[in-house]
Amino acid sequence: MKEGWRWYGAFDKISLSEIAQTGASEIVTALHQIPYGEVWPQKMIAETRQELSAASFNWSVVESLPIHEQIKRGEGDLSQLFANYRQSMANLAAEGIEVICYNFMPLLDWTRTDLSAPVARGGSCLRFSAPKMAALELFIIKRGEAANDYSDDVVAAAKAWFETSTQSDRDALLKAVMAGLPGAYDRYDAEGLREALKDYRGISRMDLRSNYKRFLDEVIPAAEDLGLRFGVHPDDPPRDILGLPRIVSDSDDIDWILKAHPSPANGLTLCAGSLGANPANNVPAIARRFAGSIHFAHLRNVSKEPDGSFEETEHLGGDTNMVDLVSVLLEEEGRRASQGRADAQITFRPDHGHTLFDDDARGAHPGYPLHGRMRGLAELRGIIAALSQVKCAA
């Protein structure tokens, strides 16, 4: 498996020289400065590749090439947006990119309510609190119908939190929810979020699926011609939020996506943490079912709570058996190697990490500290080495 590390370029507080010391060989990045829907110029892609190459890194996975919200809504004449997207694909392929990670989450990317929840022995983690999310929906942006999306106990807890919260607490909650958009240009206050949600009013799960299929039909043939592989990132959290349908949340959703436009280029970014936040998901079983379509992997872990809350644990803790999961990926690599495939190795990255030591002072992107991710990478490297040794001995 290829050891990757997500890097935000000029926006990142962690330098390439520091990343080199973690042992990672692959940088996973994107042109975060380009507004959604515009073409990624080949010259800028080449400059990024050259910068990474000079620092002894390989760049074969883009995370991500964002999809404009109009495409997700199926709104208006989309021909130019699709043309721009395909041109960006062509420019990426010309510079050696092999995999494009993307998501089809409407309006918001990954969503958390707390960016620095304390952990038992020091440090902090990302957390999703169902009561706090319900408080945001019900009492801050005043989406009254949200009461139907939560249990009575969660609604009661949301009301209690809101009534004792300060304006600073409420601002921090909204800021946390917005933090999952590192490359986006839109950030919303309460009124702005309320208005943005209106654009999705009346869009059902089936509507979103239809718009998604159109996207696949527009880009996957081009990916085949260019030698690119697409890996959709699961919803995070894997449930409807803010009244917005989520359609990449479980095994059935993934099966629908792969069948919507059958192609080796239409595949999955296996995100263990995103899928692991759904109590119905057995992540190693999902990996085993769709192993042949996994083009990229995010490895992290979460601990779930009965009310729908969850928080990010250390990589070897949490509810997912990481040893079992990694063994599935290694078995798939062996299968691909036996077929002589050039894409036998799967790039992975330690996805997120606890904020440890002086990570907090660095001001890195939430979830992307230096020390916490380096710990995660070391733990995952240990699993891979041990499983590989056992396989060789057998």
Side-chain angles (χ1 to χ4, degrees):
M1 295 178 71
K2 297 180 182 179
E3 296 182 358
W5 187 279
R6 191 171 191 183
W7 183 61
Y8 290 100
F11 301 109
D12 209 312
K13 303 295 184 181
I14 300 170
S15 69
L16 291 175
S17 63
E18 289 174 313
I19 298 171
Q21 295 175 60
T22 71
S25 60
E26 310 286 316
I27 288 294
V28 177
T29 192
L31 300 188
H32 296 289
Q33 65 271 41
I34 305 295
Y36 289 13
E38 294 188 9
V39 173
W40 286 15
Q42 186 174 339
K43 180 176 183 292
M44 293 180 66
I45 297 168
E47 289 170 350
T48 300
R49 179 182 55 75
Q50 291 161 8
E51 179 182 9
L52 295 174
S53 180
S56 300
F57 288 107
N58 185 49
W59 182 29
S60 63
V61 179
V62 159
E63 187 178 355
S64 55
L65 183 57
I67 301 170
H68 198 279
E69 293 299 313
Q70 285 182 234
I71 292 176
K72 296 176 188 177
R73 294 192 298 263
E75 179 182 276
D77 181 2
L78 301 175
S79 56
Q80 189 60 55
L81 286 175
F82 282 125
N84 288 356
Y85 201 94
R86 287 190 293 266
Q87 185 61 57
S88 294
M89 291 166 55
N91 293 345
L92 287 165
E95 294 299 326
I97 296 301
E98 300 170 3
V99 175
I100 293 177
C101 172
Y102 71 102
N103 74 72
F104 212 79
M105 289 181 262
L107 193 61
L108 297 181
D109 206 311
W110 62 264
T111 304
R112 299 292 183 272
T113 59
D114 299 270
L115 303 180
S116 55
V119 295
R121 300 187 66 184
S124 63
C125 69
L126 301 182
R127 176 175 172 78
F128 179 88
S129 163
K132 289 177 75 170
M133 192 69 200
L136 173 69
E137 296 201 49
L138 288 167
F139 306 117
I140 296 178
I141 67 169
K142 296 179 171 52
R143 194 178 76 85
E145 58 269 32
N148 299 321
D149 298 337
Y150 297 93
S151 69
D152 291 343
D153 288 345
V154 168
V155 170
K159 187 173 186 293
W161 180 86
F162 182 77
E163 290 176 345
T164 59
S165 65
T166 64
Q167 187 58 50
S168 178
D169 294 331
R170 299 167 192 173
D171 291 343
L173 172 57
L174 187 58
K175 181 180 179 181
V177 170
M178 292 295 108
L181 295 168
Y185 279 68
D186 291 331
R187 292 294 190 278
Y188 307 110
D189 57 15
E191 181 59 32
L193 180 57
R194 191 180 301 117
E195 287 299 310
L197 288 172
K198 291 180 181 178
D199 291 335
Y200 276 92
R201 188 172 293 165
I203 294 180
S204 68
R205 175 181 176 84
M206 294 309 298
D207 292 333
L208 196 60
R209 272 191 168 185
S210 177
N211 297 339
Y212 188 9
K213 182 178 180 350
R214 179 181 177 187
F215 168 78
L216 293 173
D217 291 342
E218 291 276 359
V219 303
I220 295 301
E224 294 169 345
D225 293 341
L226 294 166
L228 291 168
R229 286 165 284 144
F230 270 62
V232 63
H233 188 287
D235 301 326
D236 189 7
R239 54 159 292 174
D240 294 357
I241 59 172
L242 295 167
L244 301 171
R246 295 288 183 101
I247 59 171
V248 196
S249 293
D250 58 25
S251 188
D252 289 342
D253 287 342
I254 295 168
D255 185 60
W256 179 88
I257 291 162
L258 298 181
K259 290 176 178 175
H261 193 114
S263 167
N266 180 21
L268 173 66
T269 292
L270 182 81
C271 181
S274 297
L275 291 169
N278 184 335
N281 287 341
N282 179 321
V283 182
I286 290 174
R288 190 168 287 109
R289 179 180 179 185
F290 301 110
S293 298
I294 295 173
H295 298 322
F296 179 40
H298 292 174
L299 300 180
R300 63 177 170 86
N301 225 321
V302 297
S303 178
K304 299 182 288 292
E305 299 166 26
D307 68 355
S309 301
F310 62 88
E311 68 181 32
E312 299 186 3
T313 66
E314 64 274 16
H315 286 69
L316 302 191
D319 299 332
T320 294
N321 185 327
M322 194 61 67
V323 175
D324 191 13
L325 177 58
V326 172
S327 71
V328 173
L329 298 177
L330 289 174
E331 289 169 9
E332 173 60 20
E333 285 192 333
R335 187 187 69 82
R336 295 180 187 184
S338 69
Q339 298 174 340
R341 286 173 52 175
D343 63 342
Q345 282 191 293
I346 298 170
T347 299
F348 78 95
R349 64 175 179 84
D351 189 23
H352 297 182
H354 286 180
T355 300
L356 305 173
F357 305 114
D358 67 345
D359 280 333
D360 194 50
R362 285 173 169 267
H365 287 79
Y368 292 91
L370 174 61
H371 295 103
R373 281 190 290 165
M374 184 169 64
R375 174 187 172 182
L377 179 58
E379 292 173 342
L380 295 167
R381 182 182 295 147
I383 292 176
I384 293 167
L387 289 174
S388 299
Q389 187 74 16
V390 168
K391 182 179 179 180
C392 289

